[in-house]
């Protein structure tokens, strides 16, 4: 690749430095944001830093962001567009560099202004996608989001004219955070990566969020790797990023650390380049800088130990995840040569259908459930052309009590395991979280 960027070649860095760990951290105060970036840089880990944007910026409500800054009211992230180039360059000065890549995470379905601010500021990495930043987050029509993301990708790709290789990470492997069986997650993240490539980007990453069963996750990440290899053009620089569980998080410190340990070990065993880390504070509030650094260092230590451990006894059994994802990808690509148009037609026909997603452009006929072994299965595939590939479908609907129980499955499981491993009396961890075994 002729151009260079902070995310280009991250896979090579991972081989030399170990698993790259990254927080989801953003503060509205520029001084606090800079302090957070510096702390991430100084952590005892191979790190990637993050500027997570605020909710007002996500929905283009810059007036409210401006009023909050003027009033000194903290926001839940960094208002990139409102702060402007000069402030952000001061935040990044002496921090961003080859030894600390910085990625902007934002959640916007219509990211034109955010991408313009990235290009103006010289930031070269972000995340999202026309599906993954549209369907879960609001009411923006999918057609409008797809058009905006196409424009934004082309604008972002203009950095290559300045010798900078921009990087875009698909959020497709994290749809709704939970209750979406792996085949659909894999298909959406691969399709979004193809969309990015079609609109001029050559450095991408594909995401997968830790789900409910370790062996199923191992099979899923292996399937994602094989399908990315098969479908992405040869001129694409790509890697895989694993997210620590994105659903309801354990309420005890012990449960949260157990879940983070499993995520770090999953990332190492599957050869992922990056791990998006969460902290024990996730279930209660926005984590502090110190809590983010603690979680980064913990995940890095777990990953280093896993790197030196004996390999697992064998690959996970093939339950059809790769075949299911391939069928979805090929069915969508057959609809139109333009990937964006193909995605629109796929959702209109129900060939892609995200479980429990209420967006008006989603058919809403698909349903997932957690089986007795703790694996995610299809209760209904709707019109998706995958019936019977992975099995596990059942003929009756998922009731509200079933869904509520499933949404708390990972939280309950890890809190209970953590509490069972300690004394029967409530430990300081449980007391800190205000959680007793009876609460589970």
């Amino acid at each position: 690749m002729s151009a260079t960027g902070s995310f280009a070649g991250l896979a090579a860095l991972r081989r030399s430095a170990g698993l790259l760990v990254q927080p989801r951290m953003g503060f509205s105060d520029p001084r606090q944001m800079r302090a957070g970036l510096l702390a991430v840089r100084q952590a005892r880990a191979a790190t990637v830093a993050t500027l997570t944007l605020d909710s007002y910026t996500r929905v283009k409500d810059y007036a409210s962001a401006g009023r909050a800054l003027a009033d000194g009211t903290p926001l839940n992230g960094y208002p990139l567009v409102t702060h402007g180039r000069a402030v952000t360059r001061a935040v990044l000065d002496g921090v961003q560099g080859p030894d600390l890549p910085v990625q902007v995470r934002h959640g916007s379905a219509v990211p034109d202004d955010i991408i313009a601010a990235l290009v103006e500021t010289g930031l070269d990495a972000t995340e999202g996608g026309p599906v993954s930043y549209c369907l879960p987050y609001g009411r923006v029509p999918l057609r409008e989001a797809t058009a905006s993301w196409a424009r934004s990708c082309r604008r972002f790709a203009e950095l290559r004219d300045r010798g900078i290789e921009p990087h875009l990470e698909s959020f497709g492997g994290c749809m709704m955070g939970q209750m979406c069986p792996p085949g659909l997650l894999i298909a959406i993240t691969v399709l979004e990566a193809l969309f990015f490539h079609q609109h001029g980007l050559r450095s991408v990453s594909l995401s997968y969020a830790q789900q409910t069963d370790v062996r199923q996750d191992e099979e899923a990440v292996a399937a994602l790797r094989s399908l990315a290899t098969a479908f992405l053009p040869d001129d694409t620089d790509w890697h895989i990023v694993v997210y620590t569980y994105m659903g309801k998080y354990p309420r005890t410190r012990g449960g949260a650390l157990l879940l983070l340990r499993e995520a770090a070990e999953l990332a190492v065993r599957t050869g992922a380049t990056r791990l998006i880390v969460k902290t024990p504070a996730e279930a209660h509030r926005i984590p502090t800088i110190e809590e983010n650094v603690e979680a980064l260092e913990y995940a890095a230590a777990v990953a280093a130990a896993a790197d030196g451990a004996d390999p697992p006894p064998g690959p996970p059994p093939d339950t059809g995840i790769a075949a299911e994802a391939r069928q979805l990808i090929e069915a969508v690509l057959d609809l139109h040569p333009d990937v964006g148009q193909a995605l629109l037609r796929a959702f209109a026909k129900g060939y892609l259908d995200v479980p429990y997603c209420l967006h008006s452009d989603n058919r809403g006929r698909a349903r997932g459930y957690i089986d007795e072994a703790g694996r995610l299965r299809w209760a209904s595939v709707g019109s998706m052309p995958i019936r019977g590939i992975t099995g596990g479908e059942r003929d009756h609907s998922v009731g509200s009590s079933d869904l509520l129980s499933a949404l708390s499955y990972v939280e309950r499981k890890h809190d209970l395991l953590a509490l069972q491993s300690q004394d029967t009396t409530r430990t300081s961890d449980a007391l800190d979280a205000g959680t007793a075994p009876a609460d589970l």
Side-chain angles (χ1 to χ4, degrees):
M1 300 172 67
S2 58
T4 59
S6 64
F7 268 60
L10 270 193
L13 178 59
R14 188 260 184 267
R15 288 191 292 271
S16 63
L19 178 69
L20 303 174
V21 291
Q22 179 177 357
R24 302 180 308 138
M25 185 170 62
F27 306 103
S28 53
D29 183 340
R31 290 166 296 186
Q32 188 180 15
M33 189 70 254
R34 179 175 172 83
L37 295 176
L38 286 168
V40 170
R41 182 175 188 172
Q42 295 162 3
R44 296 187 300 272
T47 55
V48 172
T50 304
L51 283 173
T52 298
L53 305 193
D54 66 289
S55 297
Y56 287 134
T57 300
R58 173 187 296 178
V59 297
K60 304 168 76 74
D61 185 359
Y62 308 125
S64 293
R67 283 194 296 270
L69 293 178
D71 295 341
T73 304
L75 300 172
N76 64 345
Y78 183 80
L80 176 72
V81 176
T82 305
H83 273 322
R85 180 183 185 280
V87 172
T88 302
R89 285 313 314 165
V91 169
L92 297 171
D93 184 40
V95 180
Q96 180 192 27
D99 56 343
L100 187 69
V102 177
Q103 183 186 37
V104 171
R105 312 181 79 86
H106 58 88
S108 179
V110 186
D112 301 76
D113 295 339
I114 292 170
I115 296 298
L118 289 176
V119 172
E120 182 182 11
T121 307
L123 286 158
D124 61 10
T126 189
E127 69 155 351
V131 173
S132 60
Y133 264 13
C134 176
L135 263 63
Y137 287 132
R139 300 177 180 177
V140 174
L142 185 59
R143 183 172 298 278
E144 181 180 340
T146 301
S148 175
W149 274 95
R151 292 191 302 269
S152 297
C153 287
R154 293 192 293 269
R155 178 70 187 276
F156 202 30
E158 292 174 5
L159 283 174
R160 305 186 85 222
D161 298 333
R162 293 157 48 182
I164 301 172
E165 188 66 52
H167 179 90
L168 186 48
E169 172 189 323
S170 166
F171 194 64
C174 308
M175 296 298 299
M176 300 298 288
Q178 54 194 326
M179 296 307 297
C180 187
L184 181 59
L185 299 177
I186 294 166
I188 292 176
T189 197
V190 170
L191 287 164
E192 286 196 333
L194 290 170
F195 177 92
F196 302 157
H197 187 279
Q198 188 169 65
H199 293 287
L201 295 167
R202 296 296 178 265
S203 179
V204 302
S205 49
L206 303 97
S207 61
Y208 180 79
Q210 176 188 24
Q211 298 293 323
T212 59
D213 180 80
V214 171
R215 293 294 274 175
Q216 186 178 43
D217 286 342
E218 291 176 356
E219 180 188 353
V221 180
L224 174 56
R225 184 176 302 281
S226 67
L227 292 169
T229 301
F231 283 96
L232 292 181
D234 292 340
D235 64 347
T236 311
D237 173 45
W238 63 271
H239 66 266
I240 289 174
V241 53
V242 167
Y243 283 64
T244 306
Y245 186 66
M246 295 290 284
K248 288 189 68 178
Y249 218 65
R251 290 175 285 163
T252 64
R253 176 177 173 82
L257 291 177
L258 175 58
L259 187 56
L260 178 55
R261 170 180 289 274
E262 291 175 356
E265 291 172 343
L266 171 68
V268 169
R269 283 197 304 271
T270 57
T273 294
R274 282 186 291 138
L275 172 69
I276 307 300
V277 170
K278 296 179 74 172
T279 79
E282 298 288 337
H284 311 288
R285 54 177 168 74
I286 296 175
T288 65
I289 293 173
E290 293 75 18
E291 288 165 337
N292 274 292
V293 170
E294 179 189 28
L296 291 171
E297 293 181 343
Y298 177 81
V302 170
D307 264 331
D310 293 332
D318 182 357
T319 66
I321 293 173
E324 182 177 283
R326 177 182 286 273
Q327 177 66 20
L328 288 170
I329 294 167
E330 291 178 343
V332 173
L333 295 178
D334 284 345
L335 294 175
H336 199 280
D338 179 278
V339 180
Q341 292 299 313
L343 286 168
L344 292 173
R345 294 186 183 189
F347 277 98
K349 290 177 173 289
Y351 286 9
L352 296 176
D353 191 350
V354 180
Y356 310 107
C357 174
L358 300 179
H359 194 283
S360 60
D361 288 321
N362 188 64
R363 280 291 185 91
R365 295 175 56 205
R367 292 289 184 268
Y369 75 103
I370 301 172
D371 71 10
E372 294 77 7
R375 296 169 70 91
L376 274 171
R377 301 285 193 183
W378 290 111
S380 170
V381 298
S383 297
M384 291 188 289
I386 54 172
R387 190 172 303 278
I389 294 179
T390 55
E393 279 187 58
R394 57 187 193 184
D395 294 332
H396 61 276
S397 62
V398 178
S400 58
S401 61
D402 298 325
L403 177 59
L404 288 173
S405 177
L407 291 175
S408 300
Y409 173 82
V410 169
E411 173 197 13
R412 295 196 315 273
K413 173 184 174 183
H414 288 81
D415 278 338
L416 187 58
L417 286 172
L419 293 171
Q420 287 176 340
S421 69
Q422 300 166 357
D423 294 336
T424 55
T425 58
R426 294 182 69 189
T427 66
S428 60
D429 288 344
L431 286 168
D432 288 344
T435 304
D439 296 326
L440 301 173

